[in-house]
Amino acid sequence: MSLKFGTSGLRGLSVDLKGEPSFVYARAFALYLFNSGLAKQGDKVLVARDFRDSSPEVAANCMGALKQAGLEPVDCGTIPTPALAHFGLKLNAASLMITGSHIPADRNGIKFYRPDGEIGKTDEAAIGAAAELVRADRGTLKFLPGDGEDRGAEAADLFLARNKALLKAGALKGLKIGVYQHSTVARDMFVDVITHYGAEVTPLGRSETFIPVDTEAVSPESIRLMQNWAREHGLDAIVSADGDGDRPLVTDETGTPLRGDLLGLIAALFLGADTVVTPVTSNSGIETAGDYRVERTRVGSPFVIAGMDEARAGGAAAVVGFEANGGTLTGSDFVVNGTTFTALPTRDCFLPVLAVLSRAADQKVALSKLAKDFALPVAAADRLENFATERSAALMAYLRGSAQNLDRFLTPIGEAAETSDIDGLRVTLKDGRIIHFRPSGNAPEMRCYVEAKTEEAAAELLEAGLNEIRNFKA
């Protein structure tokens, strides 16, 4: 069974998750909840899913396992992950999101939520250990799919109400916004919420076939598509999200995507955060872009959540976390527009989208100027797909093996001045450029992140880094 926990949830091939493994892990989650005192017999557990072909079958397997374990599954249908998490917090119920996020359709995954929020790394280990116990006792299991009470509309309405209270009435009036709908479960909510604030909305590119959109490394084909739409419709921005609606995508008026960490930064400023928690992959200019303290973490929402918990324990009162993909988490309550915007410690695409659009509307500036005015170092990122995990491990072992190894690898690129080993290997070169090599935690991919003074220099550095990765011989 080739399933493993990555940066956010359990991931594997769809063909595996459609079978007994998803049943086993859902049963293991039930065992974990019972053993940790987080649930008792008869408690509700929420289940939602994305639009992948495999997701309905995986969801049915999970609901069957939960029911067999003595829990009451609740079917929340196809809603964004943050909507599911928000509903779970309201009901004090654990939940499962069936999604592979941005990875290809031949893969899928399960995200796990305790009644008090997203699981952490220690929880992952406990669920994994419980799965071993369940497999050892599989003779007592009846591998049967199941269903649950349909409360999807209630969960969606609760999340819509949260987002429709964030800005003032008419806050986006005068803006022309495209919504790239593709196959994200956030597609109809985006249209509803943005229209609610007075913008003129144009739905674009709706697909009934799953399209994997990675908001952290937007494909050239997607960029060309959005640039054409921006010109054709005279748009001020295009917004979208990944498959399960927890990572935002926002373009400027030319259809060019804004960096995800800039979206998170603007959300933190919008809320008035006193502490920002973000992974090492986020832009190095964040530290000086606002009046807050910055804590850096490894990549993945569990690490950001742990960092937010530590910040609150240390006395921080207004904590926001975000990742380089733009997914924004709130670790504390905020009072916004006269109402309490309650903490939601899981990635959300709606908060950063609304924060950015409202800032552009308030300042009456184009999004390209809004981004330029922050004067952050130019950052870029991309990935090599189908890069075997064994090869990634060999590359990272080589780079970390000695200073001489790193120097040899970087010979066509530049000289290393300092390194950070928080997650992958982040190298600051002697000329001030930054290059960061990191294996994906969710798929057989190798990622490269760079920073430089100009777009041209960043693009050149990124291509050079990808070439060195591509040509590495284990």
Side-chain angles (χ1 to χ4, degrees), residues 146-191:
D147 55 17
E149 178 188 7
D150 182 0
R151 297 182 68 176
E154 183 182 352
D157 287 346
L158 182 71
F159 194 60
L160 281 168
R162 171 185 175 87
N163 288 292
K164 288 182 177 180
L166 187 60
L167 308 179
K168 294 179 180 177
L172 304 183
K173 189 175 182 180
L175 293 181
K176 296 179 68 176
I177 308 298
V179 174
Y180 178 24
Q181 295 194 306
H182 62 93
S183 51
T184 174
V185 289
R187 59 192 182 186
D188 294 323
M189 278 195 185
F190 266 138
V191 173

Side-chain angles (χ1 to χ4, degrees), residues 165-465:
L166 187 60
L167 308 179
K168 294 179 180 177
L172 304 183
K173 189 175 182 180
L175 293 181
K176 296 179 68 176
I177 308 298
V179 174
Y180 178 24
Q181 295 194 306
H182 62 93
S183 51
T184 174
V185 289
R187 59 192 182 186
D188 294 323
M189 278 195 185
F190 266 138
V191 173
D192 192 342
V193 171
I194 296 172
T195 301
H196 169 77
Y197 287 118
E200 179 184 334
V201 176
T202 303
L204 301 162
R206 190 180 185 94
S207 174
E208 299 311 315
T209 301
F210 186 80
I211 299 174
V213 172
D214 186 348
T215 66
E216 192 173 2
V218 185
S219 70
E221 295 78 14
S222 293
I223 293 174
R224 285 193 294 270
L225 192 65
M226 292 186 292
Q227 288 175 337
N228 288 336
W229 283 332
R231 285 192 299 269
E232 179 184 351
H233 299 283
L235 302 173
D236 295 301
I238 296 173
V239 305
S240 189
D242 63 344
D244 68 316
D246 69 348
R247 304 179 182 195
L249 173 61
V250 179
T251 80
D252 64 18
E253 70 283 2
T254 72
T256 302
L258 303 183
R259 282 275 305 182
D261 43 20
L262 174 60
L263 306 183
L265 167 61
I266 293 173
L269 295 173
F270 171 81
L271 292 176
D274 63 23
T275 303
V276 163
V277 181
T278 194
V280 66
T281 50
S282 293
N283 196 289
S284 64
I286 288 168
E287 271 77 357
T288 57
D291 185 19
Y292 43 62
R293 184 167 58 93
V294 177
E295 298 290 342
R296 295 282 181 165
T297 72
R298 292 179 62 187
V299 175
S301 54
F303 298 110
V304 175
I305 292 167
M308 294 195 303
D309 289 342
E310 291 175 10
R312 285 198 313 276
V319 183
V320 171
F322 59 84
E323 297 188 281
N325 54 48
T328 303
L329 311 86
T330 45
S332 53
D333 293 350
F334 292 87
V335 176
V336 185
N337 192 29
T339 62
T340 299
F341 191 70
T342 56
L344 184 57
T346 196
R347 284 190 303 243
D348 176 19
C349 72
F350 283 83
L351 168 59
V353 165
L354 293 176
V356 171
L357 294 181
S358 65
R359 188 181 182 99
D362 288 344
Q363 296 185 3
K364 295 182 172 54
V365 297
L367 265 72
S368 59
K369 184 176 188 309
L370 185 70
K372 185 178 180 181
D373 287 348
F374 276 91
L376 297 177
V378 176
D382 206 346
R383 58 184 172 162
L384 293 181
E385 298 180 277
N386 301 313
F387 198 92
T389 54
E390 296 81 6
R391 193 176 172 199
S392 293
L395 171 58
M396 298 312 298
Y398 176 79
L399 295 179
R400 292 173 173 139
S402 69
Q404 292 75 21
N405 287 356
L406 182 61
D407 288 341
R408 278 194 291 270
F409 188 81
L410 293 176
T411 296
I413 296 172
E415 295 183 69
E418 58 184 73
T419 62
S420 169
D421 208 16
I422 292 176
D423 194 348
L425 190 67
R426 184 177 174 90
V427 183
T428 301
L429 302 172
K430 287 186 176 179
D431 60 11
R433 295 176 300 159
I434 294 173
I435 187 163
H436 184 175
F437 306 103
R438 176 182 164 269
S440 171
N442 293 325
E445 299 172 351
M446 189 69 193
R447 291 181 180 267
C448 183
Y449 313 81
V450 302
E451 289 185 19
K453 290 182 179 179
T454 67
E455 290 187 10
E456 182 180 8
E460 289 177 356
L461 180 58
L462 180 60
E463 185 57 32

Side-chain angles (χ1 to χ4, degrees), residues 21-253:
S22 56
F23 186 92
V24 167
Y25 268 95
R27 184 66 181 260
F29 185 50
L31 180 59
Y32 156 78
L33 292 173
F34 293 144
N35 290 344
S36 57
L38 293 169
K40 61 184 184 303
Q41 291 285 320
D43 280 356
K44 290 179 169 56
V45 177
L46 315 180
V47 180
R49 63 188 187 277
D50 66 15
F51 285 127
R52 292 166 193 267
D53 287 345
S54 59
S55 291
E57 187 171 336
V58 176
N61 290 347
C62 290
M63 286 189 280
L66 294 170
K67 187 174 293 186
Q68 196 174 121
L71 294 165
E72 183 183 340
V74 175
D75 188 353
C76 291
T78 49
I79 60 172
T81 294
L84 176 70
H86 185 50
F87 194 43
L89 288 173
K90 180 188 178 184
L91 299 183
N92 192 34
S95 53
L96 298 173
M97 180 69 186
I98 313 305
T99 180
S101 188
H102 64 281
I103 60 178
D106 67 341
R107 298 174 180 273
N108 209 334
I110 306 174
K111 293 181 179 179
F112 300 86
Y113 287 82
R114 299 155 41 114
D116 57 353
E118 187 174 339
I119 65 169
K121 288 299 178 182
T122 56
D123 302 307
E124 289 179 356
I127 295 167
E132 292 300 320
L133 295 175
V134 172
R135 279 193 287 267
D137 194 32
R138 63 164 38 129
T140 65
L141 298 180
K142 296 179 180 178
F143 176 37
L144 297 171
D147 55 17
E149 178 188 7
D150 182 0
R151 297 182 68 176
E154 183 182 352
D157 287 346
L158 182 71
F159 194 60
L160 281 168
R162 171 185 175 87
N163 288 292
K164 288 182 177 180
L166 187 60
L167 308 179
K168 294 179 180 177
L172 304 183
K173 189 175 182 180
L175 293 181
K176 296 179 68 176
I177 308 298
V179 174
Y180 178 24
Q181 295 194 306
H182 62 93
S183 51
T184 174
V185 289
R187 59 192 182 186
D188 294 323
M189 278 195 185
F190 266 138
V191 173
D192 192 342
V193 171
I194 296 172
T195 301
H196 169 77
Y197 287 118
E200 179 184 334
V201 176
T202 303
L204 301 162
R206 190 180 185 94
S207 174
E208 299 311 315
T209 301
F210 186 80
I211 299 174
V213 172
D214 186 348
T215 66
E216 192 173 2
V218 185
S219 70
E221 295 78 14
S222 293
I223 293 174
R224 285 193 294 270
L225 192 65
M226 292 186 292
Q227 288 175 337
N228 288 336
W229 283 332
R231 285 192 299 269
E232 179 184 351
H233 299 283
L235 302 173
D236 295 301
I238 296 173
V239 305
S240 189
D242 63 344
D244 68 316
D246 69 348
R247 304 179 182 195
L249 173 61
V250 179
T251 80
D252 64 18
E253 70 283 2

